[in-house]
Amino acid sequence: MKLINMNNHKLLQRQINKYIPAELIDNPSFQSFIKAVNDSYISFERDKDLMDHSFKESEKEYHEVNQNLKKEYELKQESISNLYKSLSELKSDKNFEDEIKQNDLLFISRYISDEILKRKETEKKLFETAEFLRVLLDNIQSGILFIDNTDTILYVNQHLCDIRNIHASPLDMMGKKPDYYLNDVTALFKDPDAYKNRIVEIIKNKDIVTGEILETIDGRFIERDYIPIIVEDQFIGHLWKSTDVTQKIISKNLLQQSEERNRIIMNSSLNAIITIDIKGKITFWNNQAEVIFGWKRDEVLGKTLNDTIIPNRHKQQHFDGLKHYLETGEGPVLNKQIELPAINKNNIEFPVEISIIPLEQDGEVFFCSFIQDISERKKGEAKLRLQEEKYRNIIANINLGLIEVNTEEVIQFANQSFAEMSGFEVDELIGLSALDTFVFGENIEVMKDKNRLRKNGISDVYQIPVRNKRGELRWWAVGGAPNYDDKGNLVGSIGIHLDITEQKQMELELESEKIKAQEASKAKEAFLANMSHEIRTPLNAIIGFLRELERQGLSETQKKYVNNSAIASKHLLSIINNILDISKIEAGEMSLEDEDFIFSDAISNVITVMQPIATEKGLKLYSDIAENTGNVFKGDILRLEQILFNLIGNSLKFTTEGFISLNCKVLKDNNNFQEVCISVTDTGIGMEQSFANTIFNKFSQEDKSTTRKFGGTGLGMAITRELVQLMKGHITIESKKNVGTTINIILQLEKGVLKNVKKPQSEINHDIAGTNILLVEDNQMNRMVVNYTLNYFNCKVTEATNGLEALDILKKDKFDVILMDVQMPEMGGIEATKIIREGLKIDTPIIALTANAFKSEIDKCKEAGMNDYVTKPFEESVLIETLARYTINKDVLPESIIERRDIAKLYDLKILNNMSKGNNEFVQKMISIFISQTEDVIDRVDKALVDEDFPLVSQLIHKIKPSIESMGILSIMEDVKRLEKIAKESSDRNQITILFIHIKDILLGVIEKLKEEVKV
């Protein structure tokens, strides 16, 4: 199809027919542009031809005239002849030639003068046309760029410079190469490579391009058009047009987003939303409409409501209503919420609640209906009416007394049960003041407070003593609530009453029994504490002397006797520990460690210890751990081993032939946990299933003969179950008499990290030689044991037999550490410690020696001012490590920490330097803040450890953790995280202190290095 305009220049028309799409022709802006270009074509071509021709001929004429004036007169005729000839050639007209021959030079002069005037007029028109085009293109709201076929800028307007962020003026750019100004697209367009490639493609094809959208890196959108300029089939240059359409794109996107959002909202509505046009045809049908009516959107669009959801008996009414609206603009059901019947796709009728709203858009009216299926509500309302009637009957006959009072506490309603509770008749109660009638004494103020709560909309339940009509004291449990009318105004309160006089009497009796039980529990704890002290004190001496004997040069027989005695003493200690463990668990004082451990080591430790006993009895003892079982878990390895010792020990005790096996398999496995089943199976005497159900009871054995034959206290299984439950696991038992027993423990174990596992300490690495120690202990054997141990480590020991002797010694001498027994005659350790701290004002570390491991006893020690404790009988390593922790300048750390300290780089400022972006002043300031903050935190943690405020320790460590990471102190990051967690969740002072000493040592070293190297 050709788009021909006879007024257009033929070259321009040819380009339009070839390249311009038909839909662009009718665009007014484009038509104006083409008209301007066409006028320029015609005017320019016409004026140029005239001007060029005039210039050429005039130049010749002027030159010839100039030459002729210089020549002599005799050449005049020849010059005139030549002039005639030139004029004849200029205007090939026979009449004109004759006129020239008939006239003289005056005619020629006038002719030339006329031609000059015409040329000036042409130049003026050409200038005006060029100026018009320049003004037009300068003011058009698009960037225009003309480039000729030699790749030279012929024209550019300011708008293009603004769009492309070009700082040169259009005048400077004209006549220059475009690459100098336009080649740097990296700083403008999001995809510069695609932009460049497209430019090459457009120039190569020389096809008209319109409406291409380019996105800039600063979020703008540029619409680009391109027209190749071709004159008489000759390509002469390029025309580029660029328009900023950012706002248009944004508006379009916002409109699309708004429409999409509205669509989503309407489809997400809990109501069916249906729109129909003025002809009654459905134009919108949302998702909920599909749910309620069963019709899919595609099935109903274009149909009418009469064809889909309106019952037959209402179709005419709907038709008449629509017709009435068209005639009058009114509708009786419009803009209201009404209930109507509707039908679904299966022609089942149900009630709906509908609101119909007429709307107008673009001069067209449509109706929007919001419809809700109220079938369930209708059923609920019917059910509610039945329930209301039912509750009326219940209120009238319920055994709970119910009354309603107004804001002045005057009774407005009372049911029969309340009348019976109070001793009044129902009619007598109406109008009485509930406060004055039933409440007495100080309880009147209580009831006034309750009335104020009701006025604030607060309900509560309380108990109160009252007097009934006969003056008898009764106790009522009252549930009170504010009472509102239909408009939400408070009109009083409602009270439901229950006579609890008998229950109150029982409560008082139970309170008395509770006090007695608490006293009995305290007596039991005191008894266990005393028994623990009385038994552990000599046991401590026995174990200590045996330990010292082992250091002597003994014969093989003596070593055997000493070894058997040690086993017997440890067995006795195990029995005592079992009794105390049960007591701790009952008192809620048992806590578990949460440390990384190697699972196979726990199994191996148990098997290794129990293997000699199995061998001695001629039994096979072995373990089998599934290959997919985790290597490292988090938990309490000692308590896990205690469980396995109990179970295998039990199996060894009750098995005379065959084997005992310990098996482990994985039940569940995920990223953080494994659920494992640990089974202990034996071929022992087994038991009846009836007893298997009670085996976890304390002091439980199947019969007396079992106790006589095999021994035991019957506590091991009870403690095992308690420990398993503390680990949030469960234990089951399967047994058959004279066949054997299998016990299964299922635990969910958190996976750990191998590098966090503590290395076992095979020997004591603490040097406490020269430490001056005051030992306060009334038991001579225990003093001897402690003396032998401390002398072995080259400590100086001074002895005192009670608190009074200790005070006398402390008034004269100073010590590095005090070891203080808790229970002593004349003056015990608690009382002595208080006098040392408060009276003598001595802050020497005091370590309690106690046979009572109950938390209450430990708390008493700490409250008195003791720093730490060691339980008797003590492990030598525990005593030495505790002493080392409080010895001046003897900070002791585990081997693993010492190793890390030796090899770790103190700090690395790479992270800080990256943050500074080369700003050394920033680095210096951050280091200064780190030093100041860290020194302050260290001082505060030291004080918190003295006060045993472990949560504060966790908070302070958390505070400096980011700074430690920023300073690149990587050697202690894991320890910092661990200390923060342990201090928050545990009260293990020993572990917390050791970790902090290590962290503190490294931090102080870093601070010292920073002050030296960075010169802060």
Side-chain angles (χ1 to χ4, degrees), residues 584-617:
K584 281 184 178 181
I585 292 170
E586 289 179 346
E589 295 184 0
M590 179 70 75
S591 60
L592 300 177
E593 297 293 334
D594 187 26
E595 296 180 344
D596 295 80
F597 68 91
I598 298 174
F599 182 72
S600 58
D601 285 356
I603 304 298
S604 177
N605 291 342
V606 175
I607 296 296
T608 301
V609 173
M610 304 304 284
Q611 189 69 60
I613 303 174
T615 302
E616 185 179 343
K617 294 187 69 174

Side-chain angles (χ1 to χ4, degrees), residues 77-94:
Q77 292 301 320
E78 184 180 353
S79 297
I80 292 173
S81 176
N82 291 334
L83 182 59
Y84 285 163
K85 184 179 179 181
S86 297
L87 289 176
S88 298
E89 292 176 354
L90 181 64
K91 195 167 183 179
S92 56
D93 186 345
K94 181 64 176 174

Side-chain angles (χ1 to χ4, degrees), residues 820 822 829-830 833 837 846-848 861-862 864-868 948:
M820 181 76 72
V822 175
I830 300 291
T833 300
R837 296 298 190 220
I846 301 175
I847 299 171
C861 295
K862 293 180 179 179
M866 295 185 181
N867 299 82
D868 215 326
E948 296 197 354

Side-chain angles (χ1 to χ4, degrees), residues 271-286:
N271 290 342
I273 301 177
I274 302 172
T275 62
I276 62 172
D277 59 19
I278 201 67
K279 297 179 180 179
K281 292 186 178 181
I282 298 170
T283 57
F284 180 79
W285 183 275
N286 74 341

Side-chain angles (χ1 to χ4, degrees), residues 828-845:
I830 300 291
E831 186 179 356
T833 300
K834 289 181 179 178
I835 295 173
I836 292 170
R837 296 298 190 220
E838 299 171 8
L840 301 181
K841 305 296 183 184
I842 295 174
D843 59 1
T844 301

Side-chain angles (χ1 to χ4, degrees), residues 546 549-559 562:
L546 290 172
L549 273 175
E550 287 176 342
R551 292 192 175 117
Q552 309 301 318
L554 303 176
S555 66
E556 290 301 320
T557 302
Q558 289 171 330
K559 286 182 180 179
V562 170

